[in-house]
Amino acid sequence: MTEPIEMSVVIGFKNWGLRRLGLAISSVQEAFGSVRGEVIVSDYGSDEYAETERLAKSLGAIYIYTPTDGVWSRSRALNIGFAQASGEVLACTDADMIFKPGSMERIHDAAVREPTATILVECRDLPPEWSDREISEKGPDWERFDRISKLRGRWGMGGMVAVSRDVFTKVRGLDERMHTYGCEDIDFGERTQRAGNKILWLRDPGVRMFHMWHPPSGPAAEANPLELKTINANREILYNDRSYVRNMTNWLCQSNPKRPLVTVSIATRNRADLLPDAIYSVLAQTVQDFEIIVVDDGSTDNTHAVIEGFADHRIRYFFQENRGIAAARNRAVKEARGRYVAVLDDDDIMLPWRLESQIASIGAGQHGSYGSFVNFDNDTAELTMFHEKQVSVTTAFQKGGAPGHSTWMVETDLLRLVEYDESIISGEDNNLFLRLLRSGARLSHCGEAVVLRRLHSTQITQTDNRIHERYAAANRYFFRFNTPMAEASKIEEIGNRAPWVTVRGGKDFSNLVRPYLPDHLIQRTLVIDEADVASEQLLEDIRASVDGFVDVSRYSAGGVLINRALIVKTATHRTMAELRKLGVKYAVQLEDGAESISGSEPDLMESELARFVEENTATDIGKTSLALLVVHPSAFKLDNLGRGFEMHTNSIRVGDESYFAHVLKTQSMTAAVEKAKALSVNDHVLRLDVFTNNAPSKVSDYLSLSGGAS
Amino acid sequence: MKVLWRNELNGRSGIVVEPEGYDGVPWVRELWMDRRPVALHPDRVAVAAALVFGRDAVGDLEFERPISIGVAESIKIFCRTPSLNVSPVDYEQRPFADGAGRMEIVANAFNLHKGSHFQDDRSLTLSVMRSDQYSGSLISSSGLVVSSNAYLHDAHSEKREGTAYGSLAIGVLFSEDLGLDVCSTSGSSLPIAASEMLVASGLRTL
């Protein structure tokens, strides 16, 4: 059996010279010493790569090639490499760095000795007479390099970063929003620091990293305006994003082994009728890296069958004899594999941005997050927002002040130490929160309403309010016990003065959250961004998963597909969950005409157009019916536009601009093609969509049959 | 990393750290206890802080009051960071904190019937109770019971280093109040570097 790899070194590469790369790989291999190491070359979009692959493999390196659209991203290149890495110590470096023999062994040993350190090495620049050519011809002269090289100093992350695998997965690698050039390594290093690592510049005479001379690339890159814009965008992330977990919604390069980012903990008992709403709301989260743990505390209804009906491997079900909600929650924490536990009551609904916004709000030294919640009446849909303060010992002092339990997200390790008290039968959340505060835990408000909390007749706080108050009083007494009486009023005053957190949506919060009420209370339409339906396969997957949508396809006059939009009417929570699982973004509208402010806001004109099209095609568009959507500025007239067609017109105003939108309907493919050809060359036509319903044949098939170009 | 002492209105006191520069951010940034020690010898505060937070410090480890040079040097060795700069330092030898006798430090258990202030070989118990389960403090002739969040630091350091440094830090802080100079904990023996820190502040370990 092969011994496990101890250290993985990833080199990001793109068109950077084979000789240079070869020297880098060889030097790292020699630098491993007695450590079992591997070198991974992650080639991100080189033009020619067959030779590169041959070279890398001949030197014993693992080679990964990723085709790209031409844009270089060191973050993505390195993350792709790390996804293949096996070592417990992960390091990255560049293809123009060489290491003195034994260096990586010492770096590895330092990383093992200090598992909570981010190890950096100062780069030493070789002079112009020592480029890769000279090093290749003459061989490295380490003693001479020591004398003639110039120490670069502790700028950025130096050119090599080594961390433990645990920390790498905790921060989820380098930020893949960053591309082209700059900041990704500094951002990574700073995030590991926020996650608890100290930054350790290794001062060891046995560790040397030399930069092979080459003509500078930095200034040329900055001269390009487009690249400069990207570099500034990278800096914006570096300076202003204080979170440490990244790549939440799009981390395609997840390292091995997989540990979900979040465990959603649902304790339940005899709520089989309400549980599906809760679970679908989790499945529809913008962050899909989760597991759901359902602890069934002795249900006698069909809860188990309901869970099995989901057939989703991310849902883990545990049954126990009835021991109370605290015991059920402790069981969920015990079984959790996620770094964080997000609590959700079995009768509540998670708003789709909850996990993302809460993780993004967790900064250095914080153990979790919470949010505001909105109560809704299960019969009338009436909404009431419950605001929260930034909780602290002072704000909690007077009333106990635990934020809504269904909004909590807390580090799993902390909840394993400070458990729910199983001896109490009410207010166990309040009790736990005060105990966390007393222990120095720090949780922050994420600035969002994150849960819709259902008010209904079987709710526990409605049925035993007196018991609840008694337990709450006991919790307060414990919390205040050590406080000198003389200081109590002072603390209460400080707590009272603390401001309430303003959440997104403000006074219009109902528009933000109403689209996510249970299906029996509202009707919603989903508008899918056309950019997310870029492939036929995805469209087929959507067709297989989702009922009842209108396919708005935009074709050129020659029948070439330009883009698409989809409208899904009467969409349910299940629909939203299915689409999210497919990675499809959508905007939500209510079918009573109210606009929604959602996590992914549609273009207002787009939503107007979608509604206009829907209104005029829903009832009569059959298998062979076609419709054209034509949009032009109202200042221009399109003569004889509707001749031979059934035409409906709508005026749309966006800001100071006004437009006309026309839907032209016909049964004739020929007429549609001719009209499309004529309009496509008209300069005043801003938009020309040809569409049908989800008929099995595509419009392009009709076009080819009729002789149109495909 | 700045090390500060805080006394809060709600009755708890403790060491609070402010990471800077290359410092790691400690998992929990405060070591709280429900009773403020009367005597707070700067050397003892420094040793307690170093036990719990020292391994996260990289550049400057700055205390509020000058500490002995011996304590400063032992802290640097314990923290294993060559670049660590401990300050402020008083180079003149100062008297150690007073005490003679043994403190048995117990985490999360009452053990007040062992030993007494008034025996010849003085031996007392310090019970460090979890602050999420107990509140306040209690003194008897056999020892002291105090609630603290040291249990979180114990769990963290045991995972990292195999030793519970949180409760030991509480013991160091109360050693002068209880008039003792020996700190002993149950479990495995203390690493040498940690032991040397206590010795540098006038304590002994057994």
Side-chain angles (χ1 to χ4, degrees):
Chain A
M1 191 162 119
T2 333
E3 298 257 39
I5 294 290
E6 295 173 294
M7 183 175 188
S8 303
V9 177
V10 177
I11 300 174
F13 182 80
K14 181 186 176 187
N15 296 337
W16 199 217
L18 291 192
R19 184 170 50 214
R20 208 174 273 147
L21 177 65
L23 288 169
I25 296 172
S26 302
S27 78
V28 171
Q29 299 279 31
E30 279 203 54
F32 280 136
S34 62
V35 165
R36 289 187 301 277
E38 62 180 1
V39 178
I40 299 170
V41 175
S42 177
D43 189 339
Y44 194 74
S46 285
D47 300 324
E48 300 289 333
Y49 63 91
E51 274 298 312
T52 314
E53 183 174 8
R54 199 167 21 250
L55 170 73
K57 286 180 174 174
S58 73
L59 294 172
I62 296 168
Y63 177 81
I64 306 165
Y65 179 76
T66 306
T68 69
D69 57 3
V71 174
W72 164 247
S73 168
R74 190 163 179 269
S75 298
R76 295 171 207 162
L78 292 175
N79 282 349
I80 289 170
F82 284 127
Q84 299 296 319
S86 315
E88 280 306 308
V89 173
L90 303 178
C92 60
T93 189
D94 295 329
D96 53 3
M97 300 291 182
I98 51 172
F99 292 81
K100 184 175 163 183
S103 294
M104 283 297 173
E105 181 175 3
R106 289 169 182 261
I107 292 167
H108 167 269
D109 290 350
V112 167
R113 219 170 38 239
E114 299 277 2
T116 55
T118 300
I119 310 287
L120 305 178
V121 171
E122 284 180 275
C123 175
R124 292 161 190 258
D125 286 307
L126 289 171
E129 56 268 28
W130 285 100
S131 70
D132 56 311
R133 176 191 296 279
E134 286 76 25
I135 296 172
S136 175
E137 286 171 0
K138 302 175 191 174
D141 184 342
W142 304 110
E143 278 187 32
R144 190 163 177 199
F145 288 171
D146 246 352
R147 292 196 306 273
I148 63 174
S149 62
K150 187 170 172 65
L151 192 69
R152 196 183 283 185
R154 297 185 178 187
W155 291 102
M157 293 289 124
M160 195 260 2
V161 182
V163 293
S164 68
R165 173 181 289 280
D166 183 61
V167 166
F168 181 85
T169 51
K170 189 173 181 182
V171 304
R172 291 166 80 83
L174 290 90
D175 192 324
E176 291 174 13
R177 292 175 296 175
M178 294 178 161
H179 61 84
T180 303
Y181 180 78
C183 300
E184 73 285 321
D185 51 353
I186 301 175
D187 174 76
F188 177 72
E190 288 190 2
R191 283 191 290 120
T192 63
Q193 207 181 350
R194 281 182 226 134
N197 269 22
K198 58 189 178 188
I199 304 293
L200 209 56
W201 288 90
L202 203 57
R203 300 209 68 168
D204 182 338
V207 176
R208 285 291 183 265
M209 177 175 72
F210 297 100
H211 176 243
M212 294 181 266
W213 188 88
H214 59 77
S217 58
E222 292 209 32
N224 180 315
L226 186 59
E227 286 175 343
L228 188 58
K229 190 178 169 191
T230 306
I231 291 162
N232 287 336
N234 290 352
R235 284 184 185 144
E236 184 67 29
I237 295 170
L238 173 67
Y239 297 144
N240 296 318
D241 190 338
R242 310 318 294 165
S243 66
Y244 60 80
V245 179
R246 301 288 169 78
N247 305 319
M248 279 188 275
T249 59
N250 60 350
W251 196 25
L252 303 174
C253 316
Q254 200 163 6
S255 284
N256 223 7
K258 189 172 175 174
R259 179 184 177 184
L261 183 55
V262 180
T263 295
V264 177
S265 152
I266 302 177
T268 189
R269 185 162 191 263
N270 290 333
R271 286 250 173 93
D273 55 332
L274 299 177
L275 195 49
D277 277 354
I279 292 180
Y280 278 129
S281 73
V282 181
L283 297 177
Q285 289 295 296
T286 56
V287 170
Q288 287 284 297
D289 187 8
F290 57 77
E291 64 173 4
I292 304 173
I293 289 186
V294 177
V295 177
D296 184 346
D297 193 42
S299 291
T300 53
D301 64 4
N302 62 331
T303 293
H304 189 196
V306 165
I307 298 299
E308 283 201 321
F310 281 92
D312 191 314
H313 71 278
R314 293 174 296 181
I315 304 174
R316 298 166 64 204
Y317 172 83
F318 299 91
F319 180 87
Q320 62 184 31
E321 296 303 319
N322 179 230
R323 287 167 47 203
I325 191 166
R329 295 220 183 276
N330 281 338
R331 176 76 186 274
V333 171
K334 183 182 159 220
E335 302 289 348
R337 296 183 300 203
R339 274 198 201 273
Y340 297 96
V341 171
V343 177
L344 182 67
D345 286 347
D346 57 3
D347 53 352
D348 290 346
I349 290 172
M350 236 192 228
L351 291 162
W353 51 81
R354 176 189 170 177
L355 298 185
E356 184 175 358
S357 60
Q358 288 197 270
I359 295 163
S361 72
I362 298 174
Q366 290 175 333
H367 306 96
S369 166
Y370 59 95
S372 295
F373 62 90
V374 178
N375 274 358
F376 74 92
D377 189 294
N378 199 43
D379 297 317
T380 67
E382 185 184 344
L383 299 171
T384 312
M385 167 76 84
F386 273 80
H387 292 282
E388 302 279 0
K389 293 188 177 187
Q390 283 288 2
V391 289
S392 64
V393 168
T394 51
T395 58
F397 192 80
Q398 185 185 16
K399 290 187 178 166
H405 192 212
S406 215
T407 75
W408 296 13
M409 177 185 287
V410 185
E411 274 186 32
T412 308
D413 286 346
L414 183 60
L415 285 181
R416 286 197 175 124
L417 284 169
V418 189
E419 296 179 328
Y420 291 87
D421 188 336
E422 297 181 16
S423 69
I424 59 179
I425 60 166
S426 183
E428 71 289 336
D429 52 331
N430 196 31
N431 172 274
L432 175 61
F433 196 78
L434 296 180
R435 287 162 46 224
L436 284 170
L437 281 185
R438 267 188 54 78
S439 300
R442 294 180 180 215
L443 289 90
S444 62
H445 196 298
C446 68
E448 299 271 357
V450 293
V451 159
L452 286 167
R453 185 170 169 266
R454 194 187 307 253
L455 298 180
H456 54 106
S457 57
T458 60
Q459 209 170 357
I460 189 113
T461 47
Q462 287 187 349
T463 55
D464 61 358
N465 216 34
R466 284 175 303 168
I467 297 173
H468 188 73
E469 274 309 308
R470 204 176 305 144
Y471 277 91
N475 290 333
R476 282 197 302 275
Y477 188 70
F478 170 76
F479 188 68
R480 296 168 64 133
F481 184 77
N482 196 48
T483 304
M485 296 281 285
E487 308 293 2
S489 56
K490 215 181 289 180
I491 300 172
E492 283 186 17
E493 202 204 328
I494 295 170
N496 285 342
R497 282 204 309 264
W500 297 94
V501 174
T502 306
V503 299
R504 184 169 61 101
K507 289 181 185 155
D508 296 325
F509 75 90
S510 60
N511 283 341
L512 187 65
V513 307
R514 213 149 60 89
Y516 305 103
L517 285 169
D519 297 336
H520 72 275
L521 289 174
I522 58 129
Q523 291 207 318
R524 65 180 76 79
T525 294
L526 306 184
V527 179
I528 298 172
D529 191 294
E530 59 190 7
D532 286 319
V533 198
S535 73
E536 288 300 319
Q537 182 56 53
L538 184 55
L539 183 59
E540 290 304 316
D541 291 342
I542 293 172
R543 281 203 177 109
S545 308
V546 172
D547 295 325
F549 62 88
V550 173
D551 180 347
V552 180
S553 304
R554 188 190 296 178
Y555 289 88
S556 71
V560 176
L561 175 67
I562 300 173
N563 52 29
R564 290 194 163 89
L566 294 173
I567 300 164
V568 186
K569 276 189 68 81
T570 322
T572 62
H573 272 277
R574 179 179 177 165
T575 313
M576 292 192 284
E578 294 286 349
L579 289 174
R580 196 71 78 186
K581 205 168 163 180
L582 293 172
V584 178
K585 292 182 191 167
Y586 52 82
V588 187
Q589 287 180 338
L590 295 175
E591 288 177 10
D592 60 3
E595 288 294 334
S596 75
I597 313 166
S598 79
S600 57
E601 291 184 359
D603 174 55
L604 283 176
M605 185 167 180
E606 193 65 46
S607 60
E608 279 287 318
L609 288 171
R611 188 169 30 213
F612 173 53
V613 164
E614 175 61 23
E615 279 167 4
N616 289 287
T617 60
T619 55
D620 63 355
I621 193 156
K623 261 194 176 181
T624 55
S625 284
L626 292 127
L628 290 87
L629 172 68
V630 184
V631 179
H632 63 93
S634 60
F636 302 97
K637 195 166 175 290
L638 299 181
D639 293 327
N640 301 315
L641 175 65
R643 184 177 293 174
F645 290 81
E646 179 187 338
M647 185 167 88
H648 303 270
T649 299
N650 191 24
S651 62
I652 300 170
R653 191 166 189 85
V654 180
D656 294 329
E657 307 290 328
S658 63
Y659 303 88
F660 280 130
H662 311 275
V663 168
L664 309 176
K665 295 198 286 191
T666 181
Q667 298 286 340
S668 164
M669 172 59 72
T670 307
V673 170
E674 289 300 320
K675 181 63 76 174
K677 277 183 183 170
L679 290 170
S680 66
V681 298
N682 188 317
D683 289 340
H684 300 310
V685 172
L686 299 175
R687 173 86 173 254
L688 174 60
D689 294 357
V690 179
F691 57 92
T692 178
N693 66 352
N694 53 340
S697 302
K698 290 179 263 193
V699 172
S700 56
D701 293 341
Y702 286 121
L703 287 172
S704 64
L705 282 173
S706 68
S710 59
Chain B
M1 179 178 285
K2 282 197 168 66
V3 178
L4 309 166
W5 184 270
R6 274 229 192 102
N7 301 311
E8 301 229 305
L9 292 175
N10 63 358
R12 68 182 181 183
S13 297
I15 295 171
V16 175
V17 296
E18 292 178 358
E20 297 174 311
Y22 291 145
D23 296 330
V25 177
W27 187 47
V28 178
R29 280 196 252 188
E30 303 95 358
L31 175 67
W32 290 124
M33 59 216 81
D34 275 2
R35 178 140 197 108
R36 181 194 182 281
V38 175
L40 279 176
H41 195 288
D43 284 349
R44 300 273 166 99
V45 173
V47 168
L51 283 169
V52 174
F53 302 112
R55 292 261 165 83
D56 293 309
V58 173
D60 291 329
L61 185 58
E62 189 184 334
F63 298 100
E64 287 181 295
R65 291 179 294 161
I67 63 175
S68 307
I69 179 64
V71 167
E73 286 175 352
S74 64
I75 287 175
K76 285 177 75 165
I77 294 169
F78 172 77
C79 294
R80 296 193 302 234
T81 305
S83 58
L84 193 66
N85 176 37
V86 181
S87 67
V89 173
D90 186 347
Y91 289 88
E92 274 199 42
Q93 181 62 49
R94 55 172 69 183
F96 287 132
D98 217 8
R102 178 184 171 135
M103 175 198 299
E104 189 179 336
I105 301 168
V106 175
N108 304 321
F110 288 111
N111 240 342
L112 290 183
H113 297 293
K114 285 188 179 181
S116 165
H117 271 296
F118 307 111
Q119 288 171 346
D120 284 340
D121 55 339
R122 299 178 67 242
S123 174
L124 299 176
T125 306
L126 171 66
S127 295
V128 183
M129 307 303 288
R130 289 173 54 136
S131 58
D132 68 318
Q133 294 174 5
Y134 298 89
S135 180
S137 57
L138 200 63
I139 186 76
S140 81
S141 61
S142 302
L144 173 66
V145 181
V146 66
S147 168
S148 165
N149 73 342
Y151 75 100
L152 288 182
H153 296 287
D154 284 343
H156 191 59
S157 65
E158 271 173 332
K159 196 172 159 187
R160 264 166 84 158
E161 326 252 352
T163 308
Y165 285 135
S167 304
L168 179 61
I170 299 293
V172 168
L173 288 168
F174 280 100
S175 55
E176 191 172 1
D177 278 10
L178 296 175
L180 304 169
D181 69 341
V182 176
C183 290
S184 75
T185 57
S186 58
S188 52
S189 59
L190 213 51
I192 290 175
S195 181
E196 287 295 303
M197 267 202 313
L198 270 68
V199 166
S201 70
L203 293 167
R204 291 180 290 152
T205 59
L206 290 177

